[in-house]
Amino acid sequence: MGFRKDFLWGGATAANQCEGGANEGNRGLANVDLMPLGKDRYLVGTGKIKMYDFDDQHFYPALTAVDFYHHYKEDIALFGEMGFKTFRLSIAWTRIFPNGDEEKPNEEGLRFYEDIFKECHKYGIEPLVTINHFDCPMYLIKKIGGWRSREMIDYFYKLCQTLFERYKGLVKYWLTFNEINMILHFPFVAAGICFEEDENETQVMITAVHHQLIASAMATKLAHEIDSNNQIGCMLAAGSYYPETCKPEDYWKAICDNREVYMFADVQARGYYHNYALKWLEERNAKIPFKDGDKELLKENTVDFVSFSYYSSRVSSSDLSKGQQSESNIFASAKNPYLKESEWGWAIDPLGFRSTLNELYDRYQKPLFVVENGLGAKDVLEKGSIHDDYRIDYLRQHIQAMKDAVEKDGVDLLGYTTWGCIDLVSNGTGEVKKRYGFIYVDRDNLGNGTYQRIKKDSFYWYKKVIETNGEDLY
Ligand code: BG6
């Protein structure tokens, strides 16, 4: 029993939060480069203020990130030492097509990822590639408004074709878009969208996400045509909503909130928009911009597996104004009095992880892949060591919950990659001091430091977890 023999243990990163080297290798400018540290980050991410160019008042953490661009060999060797079976990373679109619409791809960018994949295979690590983790070429945002425009599908398709052909035999696990439901919460980050005054924001978002869903289905089709070994997954930001009380109104609110989480993954996994989604849009005077052939394309090209991030459960209250709000990965949530919270206010709920795994498996009946889970915490470097027992504790409880879902509930699970296996820039806050890694990076929030890599206590712990295929969690 326990996890399958070929269970894919590993860690996850994203290009913009990890690579740095923003001005190297002929890379173009992307939305994520312009996400500043500090209070304006949220307003830029939600598309409420436009940040189309750098200014002197802000610091932009993605430009150097943790410099994986120059350290990837060392970092992958450390992942190999931990025994990783897989490493999740994303492609920076603007390394391959700097503006997004070039005729020919940028060879330097293609070579960079090819070297990474070859380096992974040296250690028996299977790359798990997110084609789009929150990045969009700024050129296309300025020219056509990012994913508002249907033209984006062609540019994305060309990117996919380039990747599938070039990396055939090197990569077989692909995710099309990171956290497809994030568009409802962080639209500039998820789709390069900034809102104009008085426009119907739901209409803009559904238009953009419909384009992404079509692009995702086309990519799925193409990946299967180019190499029948390719396995394509969708990816959603999961974490079930509980009703705050057994008051029927709270339960109903939880149903509605959960539907917003599933709404787009439903399309990728089942092949169509559910009736509740159509009604949800109708209520908001918005419509899906279907074109001829879209419905068939979605129906015929569903994903092979469903991947997701899980950090915490959430709470729905029919009266949000009365309760205290809790932070929950940019999603609104009422506070859960039964749970402890991380230093950033995210509720810690391992049993909620088991529930979420079950809900997703019940709903989709496709293999699942946990591609993000972890604890963002402040680490203290003491005489060259980091004693992060709080992180070990969080991960131990979550892995146990995942094991219960597999062993006791029969969930079919392909693998588990912890978020930020090496410290990186936080998507929500832009900080580096919100650390998730097994590997510490000597860099502060403002980019100062040696960028030296240091193994934390959790590094040795996770190595043992992998060695024993999750049997020894102590
Ligand atoms: C997920 C994203 O939403 O959560 C990651 O896919 C992100 O990009 C992660 O980093 C953790 O959130 P944060 O805000 O702590 O970085």
Side-chain angles (χ1 to χ4, degrees), residues 435-463:
R435 296 174 185 274
Y436 285 90
F438 302 115
I439 301 163
Y440 182 89
V441 179
D442 177 33
R443 198 214 105 146
D444 69 11
N445 281 346
L446 291 171
N448 307 304
T450 61
Y451 291 70
Q452 191 199 335
R453 278 51 179 157
I454 301 166
K455 298 172 198 169
K456 305 181 192 176
D457 287 357
S458 56
F459 181 100
Y460 303 98
W461 173 82
Y462 195 47
K463 181 175 177 355

PDB file of all heavy atoms in Angstrom, residues 435-463:
ATOM      1  N   ARG A 435       9.809  32.481   3.204  1.00  0.00           N
ATOM      2  CA  ARG A 435      10.606  31.401   2.603  1.00  0.00           C
ATOM      3  C   ARG A 435       9.871  30.068   2.666  1.00  0.00           C
ATOM      4  O   ARG A 435       9.265  29.747   3.678  1.00  0.00           O
ATOM      5  CB  ARG A 435      11.955  31.291   3.320  1.00  0.00           C
ATOM      6  CG  ARG A 435      12.819  32.526   3.160  1.00  0.00           C
ATOM      7  CD  ARG A 435      14.084  32.444   4.007  1.00  0.00           C
ATOM      8  NE  ARG A 435      14.838  33.689   3.928  1.00  0.00           N
ATOM      9  CZ  ARG A 435      15.723  33.983   2.973  1.00  0.00           C
ATOM     10  NH1 ARG A 435      15.988  33.096   2.046  1.00  0.00           N
ATOM     11  NH2 ARG A 435      16.341  35.144   2.962  1.00  0.00           N
ATOM     12  N   TYR A 436       9.978  29.301   1.590  1.00  0.00           N
ATOM     13  CA  TYR A 436       9.329  27.986   1.515  1.00  0.00           C
ATOM     14  C   TYR A 436      10.341  26.850   1.395  1.00  0.00           C
ATOM     15  O   TYR A 436       9.992  25.687   1.492  1.00  0.00           O
ATOM     16  CB  TYR A 436       8.452  27.912   0.257  1.00  0.00           C
ATOM     17  CG  TYR A 436       7.148  28.681   0.332  1.00  0.00           C
ATOM     18  CD1 TYR A 436       7.072  30.014  -0.070  1.00  0.00           C
ATOM     19  CD2 TYR A 436       5.986  28.066   0.786  1.00  0.00           C
ATOM     20  CE1 TYR A 436       5.862  30.709  -0.023  1.00  0.00           C
ATOM     21  CE2 TYR A 436       4.779  28.749   0.832  1.00  0.00           C
ATOM     22  CZ  TYR A 436       4.724  30.075   0.423  1.00  0.00           C
ATOM     23  OH  TYR A 436       3.529  30.755   0.474  1.00  0.00           O
ATOM     24  N   GLY A 437      11.610  27.170   1.117  1.00  0.00           N
ATOM     25  CA  GLY A 437      12.556  26.180   0.625  1.00  0.00           C
ATOM     26  C   GLY A 437      13.119  25.179   1.610  1.00  0.00           C
ATOM     27  O   GLY A 437      13.095  25.369   2.829  1.00  0.00           O
ATOM     28  N   PHE A 438      13.689  24.105   1.030  1.00  0.00           N
ATOM     29  CA  PHE A 438      14.568  23.187   1.762  1.00  0.00           C
ATOM     30  C   PHE A 438      15.984  23.761   1.682  1.00  0.00           C
ATOM     31  O   PHE A 438      16.877  23.363   2.396  1.00  0.00           O
ATOM     32  CB  PHE A 438      14.591  21.799   1.110  1.00  0.00           C
ATOM     33  CG  PHE A 438      13.230  21.166   1.003  1.00  0.00           C
ATOM     34  CD1 PHE A 438      12.654  20.910  -0.245  1.00  0.00           C
ATOM     35  CD2 PHE A 438      12.528  20.803   2.141  1.00  0.00           C
ATOM     36  CE1 PHE A 438      11.401  20.326  -0.346  1.00  0.00           C
ATOM     37  CE2 PHE A 438      11.277  20.212   2.048  1.00  0.00           C
ATOM     38  CZ  PHE A 438      10.714  19.981   0.800  1.00  0.00           C
ATOM     39  N   ILE A 439      16.139  24.683   0.712  1.00  0.00           N
ATOM     40  CA  ILE A 439      17.439  25.312   0.471  1.00  0.00           C
ATOM     41  C   ILE A 439      17.266  26.814   0.687  1.00  0.00           C
ATOM     42  O   ILE A 439      16.401  27.444   0.073  1.00  0.00           O
ATOM     43  CB  ILE A 439      17.902  25.033  -0.977  1.00  0.00           C
ATOM     44  CG1 ILE A 439      17.999  23.512  -1.207  1.00  0.00           C
ATOM     45  CG2 ILE A 439      19.229  25.724  -1.266  1.00  0.00           C
ATOM     46  CD1 ILE A 439      18.035  23.123  -2.682  1.00  0.00           C
ATOM     47  N   TYR A 440      18.078  27.333   1.578  1.00  0.00           N
ATOM     48  CA  TYR A 440      18.035  28.760   1.913  1.00  0.00           C
ATOM     49  C   TYR A 440      18.856  29.520   0.878  1.00  0.00           C
ATOM     50  O   TYR A 440      19.919  29.065   0.464  1.00  0.00           O
ATOM     51  CB  TYR A 440      18.661  28.929   3.298  1.00  0.00           C
ATOM     52  CG  TYR A 440      18.672  30.331   3.853  1.00  0.00           C
ATOM     53  CD1 TYR A 440      17.604  30.808   4.614  1.00  0.00           C
ATOM     54  CD2 TYR A 440      19.779  31.169   3.658  1.00  0.00           C
ATOM     55  CE1 TYR A 440      17.632  32.085   5.148  1.00  0.00           C
ATOM     56  CE2 TYR A 440      19.803  32.450   4.188  1.00  0.00           C
ATOM     57  CZ  TYR A 440      18.730  32.898   4.932  1.00  0.00           C
ATOM     58  OH  TYR A 440      18.754  34.161   5.473  1.00  0.00           O
ATOM     59  N   VAL A 441      18.352  30.680   0.463  1.00  0.00           N
ATOM     60  CA  VAL A 441      19.149  31.534  -0.418  1.00  0.00           C
ATOM     61  C   VAL A 441      19.449  32.822   0.337  1.00  0.00           C
ATOM     62  O   VAL A 441      18.539  33.492   0.837  1.00  0.00           O
ATOM     63  CB  VAL A 441      18.411  31.859  -1.736  1.00  0.00           C
ATOM     64  CG1 VAL A 441      19.268  32.770  -2.610  1.00  0.00           C
ATOM     65  CG2 VAL A 441      18.072  30.584  -2.495  1.00  0.00           C
ATOM     66  N   ASP A 442      20.733  33.145   0.430  1.00  0.00           N
ATOM     67  CA  ASP A 442      21.158  34.341   1.152  1.00  0.00           C
ATOM     68  C   ASP A 442      20.868  35.588   0.313  1.00  0.00           C
ATOM     69  O   ASP A 442      21.716  36.058  -0.439  1.00  0.00           O
ATOM     70  CB  ASP A 442      22.661  34.226   1.475  1.00  0.00           C
ATOM     71  CG  ASP A 442      23.171  35.481   2.161  1.00  0.00           C
ATOM     72  OD1 ASP A 442      22.391  36.097   2.909  1.00  0.00           O
ATOM     73  OD2 ASP A 442      24.340  35.852   1.924  1.00  0.00           O
ATOM     74  N   ARG A 443      19.615  36.038   0.421  1.00  0.00           N
ATOM     75  CA  ARG A 443      19.178  37.244  -0.287  1.00  0.00           C
ATOM     76  C   ARG A 443      18.064  37.862   0.522  1.00  0.00           C
ATOM     77  O   ARG A 443      17.195  37.137   1.025  1.00  0.00           O
ATOM     78  CB  ARG A 443      18.629  36.855  -1.668  1.00  0.00           C
ATOM     79  CG  ARG A 443      18.532  37.981  -2.661  1.00  0.00           C
ATOM     80  CD  ARG A 443      17.342  37.850  -3.607  1.00  0.00           C
ATOM     81  NE  ARG A 443      16.325  38.813  -3.187  1.00  0.00           N
ATOM     82  CZ  ARG A 443      15.500  39.452  -4.020  1.00  0.00           C
ATOM     83  NH1 ARG A 443      15.514  39.200  -5.305  1.00  0.00           N
ATOM     84  NH2 ARG A 443      14.611  40.322  -3.564  1.00  0.00           N
ATOM     85  N   ASP A 444      18.075  39.191   0.694  1.00  0.00           N
ATOM     86  CA  ASP A 444      16.977  39.795   1.449  1.00  0.00           C
ATOM     87  C   ASP A 444      15.907  40.321   0.491  1.00  0.00           C
ATOM     88  O   ASP A 444      16.016  40.171  -0.732  1.00  0.00           O
ATOM     89  CB  ASP A 444      17.503  40.865   2.429  1.00  0.00           C
ATOM     90  CG  ASP A 444      18.049  42.094   1.708  1.00  0.00           C
ATOM     91  OD1 ASP A 444      17.831  42.229   0.471  1.00  0.00           O
ATOM     92  OD2 ASP A 444      18.690  42.933   2.366  1.00  0.00           O
ATOM     93  N   ASN A 445      14.901  40.974   1.069  1.00  0.00           N
ATOM     94  CA  ASN A 445      13.778  41.443   0.245  1.00  0.00           C
ATOM     95  C   ASN A 445      14.207  42.429  -0.837  1.00  0.00           C
ATOM     96  O   ASN A 445      13.554  42.569  -1.859  1.00  0.00           O
ATOM     97  CB  ASN A 445      12.740  42.128   1.129  1.00  0.00           C
ATOM     98  CG  ASN A 445      11.871  41.126   1.846  1.00  0.00           C
ATOM     99  OD1 ASN A 445      11.877  39.944   1.496  1.00  0.00           O
ATOM    100  ND2 ASN A 445      11.125  41.570   2.841  1.00  0.00           N
ATOM    101  N   LEU A 446      15.310  43.145  -0.569  1.00  0.00           N
ATOM    102  CA  LEU A 446      15.741  44.175  -1.518  1.00  0.00           C
ATOM    103  C   LEU A 446      16.868  43.715  -2.438  1.00  0.00           C
ATOM    104  O   LEU A 446      17.532  44.515  -3.086  1.00  0.00           O
ATOM    105  CB  LEU A 446      16.155  45.438  -0.750  1.00  0.00           C
ATOM    106  CG  LEU A 446      14.978  46.153  -0.076  1.00  0.00           C
ATOM    107  CD1 LEU A 446      15.461  47.261   0.843  1.00  0.00           C
ATOM    108  CD2 LEU A 446      14.003  46.710  -1.109  1.00  0.00           C
ATOM    109  N   GLY A 447      17.093  42.408  -2.444  1.00  0.00           N
ATOM    110  CA  GLY A 447      18.070  41.864  -3.394  1.00  0.00           C
ATOM    111  C   GLY A 447      19.498  41.832  -2.877  1.00  0.00           C
ATOM    112  O   GLY A 447      20.409  41.432  -3.600  1.00  0.00           O
ATOM    113  N   ASN A 448      19.719  42.283  -1.620  1.00  0.00           N
ATOM    114  CA  ASN A 448      21.084  42.254  -1.087  1.00  0.00           C
ATOM    115  C   ASN A 448      21.433  40.870  -0.577  1.00  0.00           C
ATOM    116  O   ASN A 448      20.584  40.195   0.006  1.00  0.00           O
ATOM    117  CB  ASN A 448      21.228  43.231   0.100  1.00  0.00           C
ATOM    118  CG  ASN A 448      20.755  44.618  -0.277  1.00  0.00           C
ATOM    119  OD1 ASN A 448      21.249  45.196  -1.242  1.00  0.00           O
ATOM    120  ND2 ASN A 448      19.769  45.126   0.450  1.00  0.00           N
ATOM    121  N   GLY A 449      22.693  40.483  -0.731  1.00  0.00           N
ATOM    122  CA  GLY A 449      23.127  39.189  -0.205  1.00  0.00           C
ATOM    123  C   GLY A 449      24.096  38.517  -1.148  1.00  0.00           C
ATOM    124  O   GLY A 449      24.371  39.024  -2.249  1.00  0.00           O
ATOM    125  N   THR A 450      24.597  37.360  -0.719  1.00  0.00           N
ATOM    126  CA  THR A 450      25.594  36.652  -1.540  1.00  0.00           C
ATOM    127  C   THR A 450      24.936  35.669  -2.504  1.00  0.00           C
ATOM    128  O   THR A 450      25.583  35.128  -3.379  1.00  0.00           O
ATOM    129  CB  THR A 450      26.535  35.836  -0.636  1.00  0.00           C
ATOM    130  OG1 THR A 450      25.724  34.872   0.075  1.00  0.00           O
ATOM    131  CG2 THR A 450      27.279  36.710   0.362  1.00  0.00           C
ATOM    132  N   TYR A 451      23.662  35.383  -2.327  1.00  0.00           N
ATOM    133  CA  TYR A 451      22.915  34.381  -3.104  1.00  0.00           C
ATOM    134  C   TYR A 451      23.450  32.966  -2.879  1.00  0.00           C
ATOM    135  O   TYR A 451      23.169  32.049  -3.653  1.00  0.00           O
ATOM    136  CB  TYR A 451      22.868  34.733  -4.609  1.00  0.00           C
ATOM    137  CG  TYR A 451      22.009  35.956  -4.886  1.00  0.00           C
ATOM    138  CD1 TYR A 451      22.433  37.232  -4.496  1.00  0.00           C
ATOM    139  CD2 TYR A 451      20.771  35.836  -5.501  1.00  0.00           C
ATOM    140  CE1 TYR A 451      21.627  38.351  -4.716  1.00  0.00           C
ATOM    141  CE2 TYR A 451      19.968  36.948  -5.733  1.00  0.00           C
ATOM    142  CZ  TYR A 451      20.406  38.196  -5.336  1.00  0.00           C
ATOM    143  OH  TYR A 451      19.612  39.304  -5.553  1.00  0.00           O
ATOM    144  N   GLN A 452      24.207  32.822  -1.796  1.00  0.00           N
ATOM    145  CA  GLN A 452      24.742  31.499  -1.460  1.00  0.00           C
ATOM    146  C   GLN A 452      23.590  30.561  -1.080  1.00  0.00           C
ATOM    147  O   GLN A 452      22.583  30.989  -0.517  1.00  0.00           O
ATOM    148  CB  GLN A 452      25.697  31.649  -0.264  1.00  0.00           C
ATOM    149  CG  GLN A 452      26.524  30.420   0.013  1.00  0.00           C
ATOM    150  CD  GLN A 452      27.093  30.442   1.429  1.00  0.00           C
ATOM    151  OE1 GLN A 452      27.263  31.503   2.029  1.00  0.00           O
ATOM    152  NE2 GLN A 452      27.367  29.268   1.968  1.00  0.00           N
ATOM    153  N   ARG A 453      23.725  29.284  -1.405  1.00  0.00           N
ATOM    154  CA  ARG A 453      22.719  28.275  -1.084  1.00  0.00           C
ATOM    155  C   ARG A 453      23.124  27.537   0.185  1.00  0.00           C
ATOM    156  O   ARG A 453      24.288  27.105   0.287  1.00  0.00           O
ATOM    157  CB  ARG A 453      22.616  27.246  -2.213  1.00  0.00           C
ATOM    158  CG  ARG A 453      21.771  27.577  -3.418  1.00  0.00           C
ATOM    159  CD  ARG A 453      21.977  28.852  -4.113  1.00  0.00           C
ATOM    160  NE  ARG A 453      21.060  28.945  -5.253  1.00  0.00           N
ATOM    161  CZ  ARG A 453      20.661  30.057  -5.814  1.00  0.00           C
ATOM    162  NH1 ARG A 453      21.093  31.230  -5.380  1.00  0.00           N
ATOM    163  NH2 ARG A 453      19.829  30.045  -6.845  1.00  0.00           N
ATOM    164  N   ILE A 454      22.192  27.361   1.124  1.00  0.00           N
ATOM    165  CA  ILE A 454      22.484  26.661   2.383  1.00  0.00           C
ATOM    166  C   ILE A 454      21.370  25.646   2.651  1.00  0.00           C
ATOM    167  O   ILE A 454      20.183  25.985   2.567  1.00  0.00           O
ATOM    168  CB  ILE A 454      22.575  27.671   3.554  1.00  0.00           C
ATOM    169  CG1 ILE A 454      23.683  28.700   3.266  1.00  0.00           C
ATOM    170  CG2 ILE A 454      22.839  26.957   4.889  1.00  0.00           C
ATOM    171  CD1 ILE A 454      23.650  29.923   4.169  1.00  0.00           C
ATOM    172  N   LYS A 455      21.775  24.416   2.972  1.00  0.00           N
ATOM    173  CA  LYS A 455      20.758  23.380   3.231  1.00  0.00           C
ATOM    174  C   LYS A 455      20.124  23.601   4.608  1.00  0.00           C
ATOM    175  O   LYS A 455      20.837  23.786   5.589  1.00  0.00           O
ATOM    176  CB  LYS A 455      21.412  21.991   3.216  1.00  0.00           C
ATOM    177  CG  LYS A 455      22.041  21.617   1.893  1.00  0.00           C
ATOM    178  CD  LYS A 455      22.821  20.321   2.063  1.00  0.00           C
ATOM    179  CE  LYS A 455      23.808  20.134   0.938  1.00  0.00           C
ATOM    180  NZ  LYS A 455      24.763  19.061   1.166  1.00  0.00           N
ATOM    181  N   LYS A 456      18.803  23.560   4.652  1.00  0.00           N
ATOM    182  CA  LYS A 456      18.097  23.682   5.942  1.00  0.00           C
ATOM    183  C   LYS A 456      17.908  22.286   6.536  1.00  0.00           C
ATOM    184  O   LYS A 456      18.087  21.275   5.836  1.00  0.00           O
ATOM    185  CB  LYS A 456      16.722  24.320   5.730  1.00  0.00           C
ATOM    186  CG  LYS A 456      16.750  25.666   5.024  1.00  0.00           C
ATOM    187  CD  LYS A 456      15.338  26.258   4.866  1.00  0.00           C
ATOM    188  CE  LYS A 456      15.331  27.435   3.922  1.00  0.00           C
ATOM    189  NZ  LYS A 456      14.003  27.989   3.660  1.00  0.00           N
ATOM    190  N   ASP A 457      17.482  22.214   7.774  1.00  0.00           N
ATOM    191  CA  ASP A 457      17.208  20.892   8.383  1.00  0.00           C
ATOM    192  C   ASP A 457      16.184  20.112   7.547  1.00  0.00           C
ATOM    193  O   ASP A 457      16.270  18.888   7.421  1.00  0.00           O
ATOM    194  CB  ASP A 457      16.659  21.052   9.812  1.00  0.00           C
ATOM    195  CG  ASP A 457      17.749  21.484  10.788  1.00  0.00           C
ATOM    196  OD1 ASP A 457      18.924  21.600  10.356  1.00  0.00           O
ATOM    197  OD2 ASP A 457      17.439  21.718  11.976  1.00  0.00           O
ATOM    198  N   SER A 458      15.222  20.837   6.985  1.00  0.00           N
ATOM    199  CA  SER A 458      14.172  20.166   6.204  1.00  0.00           C
ATOM    200  C   SER A 458      14.743  19.457   4.965  1.00  0.00           C
ATOM    201  O   SER A 458      14.135  18.520   4.454  1.00  0.00           O
ATOM    202  CB  SER A 458      13.096  21.169   5.775  1.00  0.00           C
ATOM    203  OG  SER A 458      13.681  22.228   5.057  1.00  0.00           O
ATOM    204  N   PHE A 459      15.903  19.923   4.506  1.00  0.00           N
ATOM    205  CA  PHE A 459      16.559  19.297   3.346  1.00  0.00           C
ATOM    206  C   PHE A 459      16.818  17.818   3.642  1.00  0.00           C
ATOM    207  O   PHE A 459      16.479  16.932   2.849  1.00  0.00           O
ATOM    208  CB  PHE A 459      17.891  20.022   3.083  1.00  0.00           C
ATOM    209  CG  PHE A 459      18.691  19.514   1.915  1.00  0.00           C
ATOM    210  CD1 PHE A 459      18.656  20.169   0.689  1.00  0.00           C
ATOM    211  CD2 PHE A 459      19.508  18.394   2.031  1.00  0.00           C
ATOM    212  CE1 PHE A 459      19.417  19.719  -0.393  1.00  0.00           C
ATOM    213  CE2 PHE A 459      20.258  17.936   0.964  1.00  0.00           C
ATOM    214  CZ  PHE A 459      20.213  18.603  -0.252  1.00  0.00           C
ATOM    215  N   TYR A 460      17.389  17.551   4.815  1.00  0.00           N
ATOM    216  CA  TYR A 460      17.756  16.175   5.181  1.00  0.00           C
ATOM    217  C   TYR A 460      16.499  15.350   5.475  1.00  0.00           C
ATOM    218  O   TYR A 460      16.428  14.172   5.185  1.00  0.00           O
ATOM    219  CB  TYR A 460      18.706  16.187   6.384  1.00  0.00           C
ATOM    220  CG  TYR A 460      19.934  17.013   6.091  1.00  0.00           C
ATOM    221  CD1 TYR A 460      20.043  18.334   6.530  1.00  0.00           C
ATOM    222  CD2 TYR A 460      20.966  16.480   5.315  1.00  0.00           C
ATOM    223  CE1 TYR A 460      21.150  19.099   6.225  1.00  0.00           C
ATOM    224  CE2 TYR A 460      22.092  17.250   5.004  1.00  0.00           C
ATOM    225  CZ  TYR A 460      22.175  18.553   5.459  1.00  0.00           C
ATOM    226  OH  TYR A 460      23.276  19.317   5.145  1.00  0.00           O
ATOM    227  N   TRP A 461      15.524  16.038   6.049  1.00  0.00           N
ATOM    228  CA  TRP A 461      14.265  15.359   6.380  1.00  0.00           C
ATOM    229  C   TRP A 461      13.540  14.904   5.104  1.00  0.00           C
ATOM    230  O   TRP A 461      13.112  13.749   4.979  1.00  0.00           O
ATOM    231  CB  TRP A 461      13.378  16.298   7.214  1.00  0.00           C
ATOM    232  CG  TRP A 461      12.013  15.758   7.447  1.00  0.00           C
ATOM    233  CD1 TRP A 461      11.627  14.845   8.402  1.00  0.00           C
ATOM    234  CD2 TRP A 461      10.831  16.052   6.677  1.00  0.00           C
ATOM    235  NE1 TRP A 461      10.295  14.559   8.277  1.00  0.00           N
ATOM    236  CE2 TRP A 461       9.785  15.283   7.231  1.00  0.00           C
ATOM    237  CE3 TRP A 461      10.560  16.882   5.589  1.00  0.00           C
ATOM    238  CZ2 TRP A 461       8.475  15.335   6.718  1.00  0.00           C
ATOM    239  CZ3 TRP A 461       9.276  16.931   5.084  1.00  0.00           C
ATOM    240  CH2 TRP A 461       8.253  16.160   5.654  1.00  0.00           C
ATOM    241  N   TYR A 462      13.464  15.808   4.111  1.00  0.00           N
ATOM    242  CA  TYR A 462      12.724  15.482   2.879  1.00  0.00           C
ATOM    243  C   TYR A 462      13.447  14.379   2.096  1.00  0.00           C
ATOM    244  O   TYR A 462      12.810  13.518   1.486  1.00  0.00           O
ATOM    245  CB  TYR A 462      12.566  16.744   2.026  1.00  0.00           C
ATOM    246  CG  TYR A 462      11.516  16.632   0.923  1.00  0.00           C
ATOM    247  CD1 TYR A 462      10.244  16.113   1.181  1.00  0.00           C
ATOM    248  CD2 TYR A 462      11.788  17.067  -0.371  1.00  0.00           C
ATOM    249  CE1 TYR A 462       9.285  16.026   0.169  1.00  0.00           C
ATOM    250  CE2 TYR A 462      10.835  16.988  -1.382  1.00  0.00           C
ATOM    251  CZ  TYR A 462       9.583  16.467  -1.105  1.00  0.00           C
ATOM    252  OH  TYR A 462       8.626  16.387  -2.096  1.00  0.00           O
ATOM    253  N   LYS A 463      14.769  14.393   2.174  1.00  0.00           N
ATOM    254  CA  LYS A 463      15.569  13.360   1.509  1.00  0.00           C
ATOM    255  C   LYS A 463      15.151  11.977   2.034  1.00  0.00           C
ATOM    256  O   LYS A 463      14.946  11.033   1.276  1.00  0.00           O
ATOM    257  CB  LYS A 463      17.048  13.627   1.830  1.00  0.00           C
ATOM    258  CG  LYS A 463      18.059  12.700   1.225  1.00  0.00           C
ATOM    259  CD  LYS A 463      19.439  13.268   1.612  1.00  0.00           C
ATOM    260  CE  LYS A 463      20.652  12.519   1.215  1.00  0.00           C
ATOM    261  NZ  LYS A 463      20.683  11.291   0.610  1.00  0.00           N
TER     262      LYS A 463
END
